[in-house]
């Protein structure tokens, strides 16, 4: 493979600048989601028994149905609960798909940026094949961001509903269950916003990659015929 011809010029043009922004915002997209940890707590008031507090912890990938309230509710309120109580729902597929798209986008955008900075002469001199492949990949990532962001936005609504659900078998005055604390989910809202921001960036990038293809370039002037 030919030696690279490093030139920072493409990084100051929309073609390279948007790639850098795509990588930057992809990091925020999967970091705000993958690093989230939360919990929900309830205060129990049982007739004839001391008050107790229980909580359930949840985190990425949001398999809520394995988040169990502790200490075990089966030992509280005169054994009102016959079995352990879990949160409801499994949203791991949407969360993992979102993170997969974000990480893949980061790797592709960084690889494309290095190609522009070091091998722009080969990129533009490959008969239009590399720009065309780049355009197809960029359009594919745009579609993946649309699907992943929409799926995760819907899953987040369901995660919030799962956390907001009341404890079962709470029948005042024998058993009173009061929510005492819930971890704010602002970071998860931000992850959805970064998902759709990445969608906009990848859609915008399609135009600048398209300009590098033979579909946009004017045809080469013909050779004048000999008189």
């Amino acid at each position: 493979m030919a030696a690279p011809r490093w030139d920072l010029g493409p990084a100051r043009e929309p073609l390279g600048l948007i790639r850098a922004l795509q990588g930057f915002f992809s990091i925020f997209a999967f970091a705000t989601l993958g690093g989230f940890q939360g919990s929900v707590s309830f205060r129990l008031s049982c007739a004839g028994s001391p008050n107790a507090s229980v909580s359930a912890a949840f985190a990425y990938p949001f398999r809520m149905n394995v988040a169990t309230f502790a200490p075990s509710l089966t030992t509280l309120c005169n054994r009102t609960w016959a079995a352990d109580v879990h949160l409801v729902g499994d949203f791991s597929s949407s969360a993992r798909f979102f993170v997969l798209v974000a990480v893949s986008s980061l790797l592709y955008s960084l690889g494309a940026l290095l190609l522009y900075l070091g091998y722009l002469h080969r990129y533009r001199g490959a008969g239009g094949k590399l720009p065309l492949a780049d355009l197809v990949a960029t359009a594919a990532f745009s579609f993946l961001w649309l699907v992943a962001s929409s799926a995760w936005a819907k899953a987040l609504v369901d995660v919030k509903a799962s956390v907001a659900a009341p404890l079962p078998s709470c029948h005042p005055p024998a058993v009173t269950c009061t929510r005492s604390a819930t971890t704010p989910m602002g970071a998860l809202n931000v992850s959805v916003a970064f998902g759709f921001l990445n969608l906009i960036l990848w859609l915008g990038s399609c135009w600048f990659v398209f300009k590098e293809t033979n579909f946009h370039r004017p045809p080469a002037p013909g050779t004048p015929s000999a008189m």
Side-chain angles (χ1 to χ4, degrees):
M1 188 174 186
R5 301 176 187 174
W6 297 110
D7 180 11
L8 295 179
R12 296 188 291 267
E13 299 175 359
L15 181 67
L17 180 60
I18 292 182
R19 289 298 187 207
L21 292 175
Q22 288 169 348
F24 180 75
F25 287 112
S26 293
I27 294 175
F28 279 94
F30 68 75
T32 51
L33 173 56
F36 182 85
Q37 293 184 336
S39 66
V40 56
S41 302
F42 283 87
R43 186 74 177 172
L44 308 182
S45 177
C46 313
S49 302
N51 291 348
S53 181
V54 296
S55 63
F58 59 95
Y60 173 83
F62 301 97
R63 296 178 61 197
M64 311 298 279
N65 55 351
V66 301
T68 306
F69 281 93
S72 177
L73 288 165
T74 59
T75 64
L76 303 174
C77 296
N78 298 321
R79 302 186 181 278
T80 300
W81 292 273
D84 286 331
V85 178
H86 305 263
L87 295 175
V88 179
D90 182 356
F91 313 105
S92 58
S93 58
S94 296
R96 286 173 172 166
F97 181 60
F98 185 89
V99 170
L100 175 63
V101 171
V103 173
S104 300
S105 297
L106 170 64
L107 296 177
Y108 184 86
S109 59
L110 292 180
L113 182 59
L114 290 176
L115 176 65
Y116 302 156
L117 297 181
Y119 296 93
L120 189 63
H121 59 291
R122 296 182 63 86
Y123 179 83
R124 289 175 171 167
K129 294 181 179 179
L130 285 179
L132 180 59
D134 194 16
L135 177 62
V136 171
T138 302
F141 272 108
S142 300
F143 176 74
L144 289 175
W145 272 116
L146 173 62
V147 175
S149 299
S150 301
W152 170 234
K154 174 59 172 62
L156 180 55
V157 173
D158 295 333
V159 168
K160 292 179 178 179
S162 177
V163 172
L167 281 177
S169 302
C170 293
H171 306 296
V175 182
T176 302
C177 306
T178 305
R179 190 184 312 277
S180 57
T182 302
T183 302
M185 299 189 190
L188 299 182
N189 295 332
V190 171
S191 70
V192 173
F194 276 124
F196 285 105
L197 176 59
N198 275 287
L199 169 62
I200 294 172
L201 286 173
W202 283 86
L203 285 174
S205 184
C206 286
W207 167 248
F208 296 104
V209 177
F210 172 75
K211 291 173 66 175
E212 299 292 328
T213 65
N214 290 338
F215 296 111
H216 183 266
R217 294 175 180 173
T223 304
S225 56
M227 297 297 295

